[in-house]
Structures are given as C-alpha cells and as structure tokens.
Amino acid sequence: MTTTEALRILDLTAPITRTQLTTAYQDALLVWCVGRFEGNPELIAKANTQSAAVKAAHALLQSVPDGAFPFIKAQASKRSATSRARSYAN
C-alpha cells in the first residue's frame, strides 16, 4: 500500500495533521463496525475487509515521520534564537 492509497482509504487529502489522521481513522472504524451489520453475512465480510484496510492505512501513515509527506511541515519560527535571547536579556 502506498501513502496515496492510505490517504484515499481514510478519505483524506494531503497535507494532513496527526489530529486529522486520528479523526479519519476513528470515523472509518465507526462506519465499518462489524456490529452494525449483524445478521447480514455479506456486509459483515465487507466490513471486515474494509476495517482491515483502514487499520493498515492508519498504521502506514502513523509510521511516517512528522514533516514528511503527507504531513504538514512545521512552520519555522520567524524570530531567530538570537532575537529571542535579546528579548529575554532586556
């Protein structure tokens, strides 16, 4: 599975945050909860397949380091360390 496929499975579009990833994962697990399809073996099988895909997609995206695709890169501080040090000295 590629990162792009994982994003599609979780219905996400890059760039994303860790919070968006967690929310999408939880939402997808609720949608494909096997208990919702009690008494319907075909839908239970489909839910099991989809839940496995959702879990695999989440695991793959969780393994990606912060700042790498598809995660939003951290904003660099506009104030340099030197200017912060000067402001504390005053």
Side-chain angles (χ1 to χ4, degrees), residues 2-90:
T2 67
T3 302
T4 303
E5 290 168 333
L7 289 168
R8 183 189 51 76
I9 288 168
L10 293 171
D11 197 26
L12 291 169
T13 304
I16 63 170
T17 64
R18 294 274 173 196
T19 302
Q20 289 171 316
L21 173 59
T22 300
T23 300
Y25 173 66
Q26 292 170 343
D27 289 351
L29 286 181
L30 284 172
V31 168
W32 292 111
C33 179
V34 175
R36 293 181 53 217
F37 306 109
E38 191 174 320
N40 190 329
E42 290 175 11
L43 286 180
I44 288 172
K46 186 173 184 175
N48 281 327
T49 301
Q50 292 297 325
S51 291
V54 165
K55 289 174 184 177
H58 181 255
L60 183 131
L61 293 172
Q62 278 290 90
S63 70
V64 174
D66 288 335
F69 179 82
F71 292 101
I72 295 172
K73 294 192 186 325
Q75 296 287 329
S77 175
K78 292 185 181 188
R79 290 177 48 184
S80 69
T82 305
S83 66
R84 283 192 299 267
R86 275 191 231 128
S87 68
Y88 292 125
N90 293 332

